[in-house]
Amino acid sequence: MRRIESVFAKPAHKALIAYLTVGYPSIEATLELVPALVGSGCDMVELGIPFSDPLADGTTIQRASYRALQQGVTPESCLEVAQELRQKVDSPLIFMSYYNPLLHYGLEPFCCACAQVGIDGLIIPDLPPDEGMELERLTERYQLDLIYLLAPTSSEERIGLVAARSRGFIYLVSLSGVTGARDTLPAQLEGFVAKVRRITSQPLCVGFGISTPEQARRVAKVADGVILGSRIIEILESSDQPALAVGSFIKRIRDGMTPREAANGM
Amino acid sequence: MADKERQKQGLRTKKELPDELGRFGQFGGRFVPETLMSALEALEEAYREAQRDDDFQRRLATLLRDYAGRPTPLYYAAKLTEHCGGAKIFLKREDLAHTGAHKINNTLGQGLLAERMGKRRIVAETGAGQHGVATATVCAMLGLECIVYMGEEDIRRQSLNVFRMKLLGAEVRPVASGSQTLKDAINEAIRDWVTNVDSTHYLLGSVVGPHPYPMMVRDFQSVIGREARQQLLEATGRLPDYAIACVGGGSNAMGLFHPFVDSEVKLVGVEAAGVGLDTGKHAASLVAGSIGVLHGTKSYVLQDRAGQIRETHSISAGLDYPGVGPEHSYYKESGRASYVAVNDEEALEGFRLLCEKEGIIPALEPAHAIYYTTRLASQLSKEHIILVNLSGRGDKDLDIVAQTLGVHL
C-alpha cells in the first residue's frame, strides 16, 4: 500500500495535512518544522516549491514564496530537503508546485528524483487533468500519486473527469478564490463535498481558507481530510519559536477535529 | 524544410488552429486552476455562438466603424521611404483608432461578449496602460463596472494613462508584487477572476493566457490585417513582401499577420532587446527565451535555470512581458514567421525618425518595428513593399522619451 493510501485506510480517522513553503523562513526551519508538525498530529505534509508567479495563492503564500526564492530555493534544493526529511519522518510527503519549475527541470527527471528521495505525491494547482496526461504517465511509472483539484465551480462532468484521474485523494478547494486564511467558510461547503461524494469513493480533502479548530471540525464532519496552509505561514511570520507555536496550533486543530464523544472518553 | 512547404503548412493550419484543446502544435492549452476551467469552457462556448450570430457580428462591425473609427488608414510613408532609399514603407495607422492604439478592436469584441454572457463586472490587466484605457473606454460605453490591475512601476511611468482610466470611470488597482509590471498585473487579474468568477469577465488584452483567449483575441485583432491586405491591394495591386509588427504579448502582430498566413508574405515580429540581449535586461521571449508555461499557456518564456520567470526590461511598458502568445511560438517553430529584437536605443531612433520624417509620433512599442523596418527597407530594392503596423500613438510616452533625452518638461 502506498503511504498516502495507508493514511485513509485507518478506520474512522480524519487526515490532517499541513502545507509549508520550503525554505521559509529558512531551509533549517523547514527541516525542523516538518517533524514538529508530524509529532503534533499531522498525517501528511505538503512541501511547497516556491514559484515566482503563484497565481493561485493569496498574499501570505506569495510573501513566503518570494522570501524563499530570495534565499535561493530551487526545485533541486527542495528535493534535497525532502531527502533529509524522509530520514526523519515516515508520513507521506507531497510536493506542491506550479507546473513551470517541473517542466523546466524535466518531468521525467523530476518524477524519478521524487521517487528516489521518498516523495509520495504531487499537487500542481495550475495543471488540470486536461493537461496532465504526460505527468500522469510518469507519476504512475514512478509510483507517485498525482493529486488533482476540484472547485465549487466544477461541473458534474469535470468532477467525473477528476475523480477518474486523481490518485491518492482529491483536493477540494473550499471556495472560489486564492489560498489564504478566512474568517468564514462558504455555506455551500457541505453541499459541495456531498455532490462530489455522490460521484466518487475517493478520499476527499478540503483546503483553502481553513484557519481555526472550529472550521477544521466542520470540514472533518463531511470530508476525509483537512488541509491547512496560509494560517501556518502566518504563525511562522509572527512567532519567535515557530516549531513550538506551529506544534501547539496543530494540536488544537487536531483536538478540534476529534469528535467530542471520543475526546471525552479519553 | 523549404519555404514553400512551410507556407503550405501555414495554409493548412490557418483554419484549423487552435485544435479543440486550444493548442497550436505543442503550444497553448489551459494551464489554470480548476476553479477557472468551467468559466473558460463557458467563455469558449459563448464566443463560438457569438461568431455565428449575425446580430453580434453586425453590432461589433458598427461599433468598430462608428465608435473606433475603422477602417484605419493605410499610409504610404513617402518621406521615410525616401530617407531609407529602398523598399516602399506603408504604415497601418492603428494609432488613429479611438483611444490611440489597436487595443480597442479586442476590448469592443470582448466587451460585447461579456454583456452577452450577463457579466457586468470586468477585470483587466495593463502594462503601458493602452489596454487599460481601451477597456475602461468600452466599459464606460457599455455601462460595465471596470477594474484595471496595473504594476506600480508601470503606474509611475504611465501616469497619463492612469488618469485617463480614472476619468473613464475605472478603478485602477496598483500591484506591488514581483516586478510590479505587466506579468504581475496579469497574476493579480487572474486572482481576482478566480475569486469573482461568477460575476466577472476577465478581459485579457493580448493573444496570451489560456484557451480560448489566444484564439479569440487574434480573431478580434485580425481586422487589422484584413483591412491592410485589401487597402494595399487597392493602392498597389499586390501584397507586401514583408509584414512587420512589434511583439510583446503579440496581439497587434497576430492581428496583422493572421490574414497573411496563407500567402507568401514574410512575417517579422520585433521584440524588445531592452538594454541588450547579452545583459539579460530585455523582453525578447521568442528570440532569447525557452519553452515554459506562464499565465495558463505553454509558449516561449524568459526564465532562469530553476524555471522561475525572469524580470524583464524594455523602455516600452507594452513590450515589457516575459511571455508571448502561443501562436507566435508556433509560427517561430514552424518557420512561418521570424522574430528579431531591437534595443531601447534603436527604438528611440525609430521614434525620432518617424517624428521627423513623417510628422507622426509613434508609441515606443511600434517604434521598435519602425526601426527594424528602416534597416530592412534600406537593404531592399525600390520594387519591394514593407507593411508595418503602427500599433499606437506616442502621447503616452512623451515623459519617458523626454527623460531619456535629458529634457525637463
Side-chain angles (χ1 to χ4, degrees):
Chain A
M1 196 185 282
R2 290 187 190 173
R3 282 197 197 93
I4 293 175
E5 189 185 356
S6 68
V7 169
F8 297 104
K10 294 182 195 168
H13 180 78
K14 302 290 182 172
L16 176 52
I17 304 168
Y19 165 93
L20 289 175
T21 302
V22 176
Y24 180 80
S26 66
I27 294 280
E28 295 69 37
T30 305
L31 291 170
E32 186 191 351
L33 285 165
V34 171
L37 287 166
V38 170
S40 312
C42 276
D43 298 290
M44 308 185 210
V45 179
E46 274 179 37
L47 299 169
I49 299 177
F51 182 49
S52 53
D53 295 77
L55 52 77
D57 285 302
T59 51
T60 306
I61 293 179
Q62 284 177 47
R63 267 199 311 274
S65 302
Y66 183 73
R67 283 275 303 278
L69 287 175
Q70 278 190 317
Q71 306 195 37
V73 175
T74 61
E76 196 84 59
S77 52
C78 292
L79 283 161
E80 287 163 16
V81 167
Q83 184 164 32
E84 210 166 317
L85 286 171
R86 188 37 86 213
Q87 313 306 315
K88 300 183 180 187
V89 299
D90 292 325
S91 311
L93 297 173
I94 299 166
F95 270 143
M96 176 133 183
S97 174
Y98 287 85
Y99 193 48
N100 196 59
L102 269 54
L103 192 65
H104 196 71
Y105 190 99
L107 295 181
E108 172 137 32
F110 187 78
C111 290
C112 177
C114 282
Q116 274 170 5
V117 303
I119 283 287
D120 300 287
L122 302 177
I123 299 172
I124 318 287
D126 58 348
L127 188 77
D130 316 58
E131 302 287 355
M133 253 85 85
E134 190 182 356
L135 191 58
E136 277 173 40
R137 192 172 52 75
L138 291 165
T139 47
E140 242 359 272
R141 181 182 306 166
Y142 291 98
Q143 304 207 350
L144 302 165
D145 289 324
L146 180 57
I147 297 145
Y148 283 122
L149 298 90
L150 279 171
T153 53
S154 303
S155 60
E156 292 212 351
E157 194 187 342
R158 294 204 58 81
I159 295 173
L161 177 71
V162 166
R165 308 262 294 270
S166 195
R167 294 288 176 268
F169 62 90
I170 300 175
Y171 189 134
L172 301 191
V173 175
S174 69
L175 43 79
S176 290
V178 293
T179 59
R182 308 287 205 283
D183 290 337
T184 51
L185 295 177
Q188 306 87 334
L189 180 63
E190 284 78 5
F192 171 42
V193 177
K195 181 172 155 193
V196 179
R197 196 72 91 188
R198 278 197 295 276
I199 295 176
T200 177
S201 57
Q202 288 227 38
L204 308 179
C205 299
V206 177
F208 280 42
I210 303 168
S211 58
T212 68
E214 293 71 31
Q215 290 170 337
R217 186 203 317 276
R218 182 179 152 198
V219 169
K221 271 186 190 159
V222 291
D224 304 299
V226 175
I227 306 170
L228 292 159
S230 296
R231 183 74 194 110
I232 293 175
I233 303 289
E234 284 173 5
I235 292 170
L236 296 180
E237 282 175 336
S238 61
S239 172
D240 302 332
Q241 293 177 295
L244 274 177
V246 166
S248 88
F249 171 69
I250 291 297
K251 281 194 187 110
R252 284 197 296 122
I253 294 282
R254 176 51 87 191
D255 287 347
M257 285 165 61
T258 310
R260 291 238 182 255
E261 314 81 75
N264 289 341
M266 282 203 287
Chain B
M1 201 190 300
D3 273 359
K4 285 251 158 134
E5 237 180 289
R6 278 177 184 148
Q7 279 163 8
K8 266 190 224 152
Q9 281 194 349
L11 176 66
R12 264 209 314 278
T13 54
K14 186 193 170 194
K15 300 292 181 223
E16 293 164 18
L17 292 184
D19 65 17
E20 66 278 13
L21 294 170
R23 300 236 174 81
F24 305 87
Q26 65 159 318
F27 302 105
R30 259 179 198 155
F31 297 86
V32 295
E34 173 64 28
T35 310
L36 294 179
M37 288 301 285
S38 295
L40 289 168
E41 285 167 4
L43 177 61
E44 185 184 353
E45 200 184 317
Y47 173 63
R48 292 196 190 280
E49 277 172 21
Q51 270 183 312
R52 290 189 297 265
D53 179 352
D54 290 343
D55 285 344
F56 181 91
Q57 294 302 333
R58 255 197 304 276
R59 190 155 171 236
L60 178 57
T62 304
L63 284 172
L64 284 172
R65 185 191 66 206
D66 300 344
Y67 188 74
R70 303 207 71 89
T72 57
L74 181 76
Y75 169 68
Y76 172 51
K79 286 292 187 316
L80 188 64
T81 298
E82 191 185 321
H83 172 80
C84 298
K88 290 192 183 67
I89 300 169
F90 285 81
L91 305 177
K92 180 59 175 165
R93 297 292 307 273
E94 291 300 296
D95 60 318
L96 294 177
H98 180 40
T99 71
H102 70 291
K103 294 291 185 186
I104 192 83
N105 304 327
N106 169 49
T107 57
L108 273 175
Q110 283 196 53
L112 291 182
L113 194 61
E115 196 183 45
R116 184 188 169 93
M117 291 187 294
K119 307 235 173 175
R120 309 293 304 173
R121 182 176 180 273
I122 302 294
V123 294
E125 81 296 337
T126 199
Q130 289 304 103
H131 174 58
V133 167
T135 304
T137 298
V138 167
C139 287
M141 191 258 295
L142 294 174
L144 303 171
E145 182 186 355
C146 180
I147 290 135
V148 179
Y149 289 93
M150 188 169 184
E152 284 190 349
E153 170 67 22
D154 287 338
I155 287 180
R156 271 191 292 278
R157 53 181 173 176
Q158 302 285 349
S159 55
L160 186 64
N161 269 344
V162 174
F163 184 57
R164 288 168 82 193
M165 286 184 269
K166 288 179 178 168
L167 282 176
L168 293 161
E171 181 191 340
V172 180
R173 292 192 185 163
V175 177
S177 56
S179 57
Q180 307 184 1
T181 60
L182 181 56
K183 109 180 149 67
D184 308 284
I186 295 180
N187 288 337
E188 216 48 48
I190 293 176
R191 289 182 188 120
D192 183 312
W193 196 31
V194 170
T195 307
N196 302 293
V197 62
D198 287 335
S199 66
T200 300
H201 173 65
Y202 176 24
L203 208 161
L204 185 47
S206 194
V207 287
V208 300
H211 181 59
Y213 285 103
M215 167 184 79
M216 187 168 70
V217 178
R218 172 198 73 196
D219 293 350
F220 286 137
Q221 291 294 1
S222 290
V223 66
I224 301 172
R226 280 198 307 274
E227 284 178 8
R229 187 180 173 126
Q230 194 190 338
Q231 289 165 323
L232 197 66
L233 280 173
E234 282 164 15
T236 68
R238 69 179 189 90
L239 295 182
D241 299 286
Y242 289 86
I244 298 176
C246 64
V247 177
S251 72
N252 93 82
M254 193 50 69
L256 182 72
F257 291 174
H258 199 253
F260 292 103
V261 160
D262 60 354
S263 72
E264 305 272 310
V265 176
K266 295 182 185 69
L267 310 174
V268 185
V270 184
E271 295 194 303
V275 184
L277 292 180
D278 51 350
T279 65
K281 291 184 172 180
H282 61 82
S285 321
L286 288 162
V287 171
S290 54
I291 295 170
V293 166
L294 175 66
H295 295 143
T297 192
K298 189 173 186 184
S299 194
Y300 276 82
V301 299
L302 292 168
Q303 53 190 330
D304 68 14
R305 289 163 67 185
Q308 305 296 342
I309 305 305
R310 277 187 17 208
E311 296 197 357
T312 52
H313 167 84
S314 168
I315 190 170
S316 129
L319 302 184
D320 207 350
Y321 180 62
V324 68
E327 197 164 10
H328 283 296
S329 292
Y330 177 72
Y331 285 176
K332 174 191 160 88
E333 206 178 62
S334 69
R336 180 61 193 93
S338 57
Y339 296 90
V340 298
V342 158
N343 69 31
D344 287 353
E345 216 171 292
E346 294 166 335
L348 281 167
E349 170 72 11
F351 178 91
R352 198 183 52 77
L353 262 177
L354 202 64
C355 291
E356 292 173 3
K357 300 297 172 197
E358 294 291 350
I360 297 171
I361 302 177
L364 284 171
E365 290 82 9
H368 288 73
I370 296 290
Y371 176 81
Y372 181 78
T373 297
T374 58
R375 296 301 299 268
L376 179 66
S378 61
Q379 292 160 20
L380 296 172
S381 68
K382 294 183 177 179
E383 296 75 50
H384 289 89
I385 294 176
I386 299 176
L387 168 65
V388 53
N389 196 12
L390 185 54
S391 57
R393 67 174 184 232
D395 309 46
K396 71 182 173 65
D397 293 319
L398 295 185
D399 272 349
I400 194 142
V401 172
Q403 247 175 54
T404 313
L405 300 178
V407 176
H408 295 281
L409 296 179

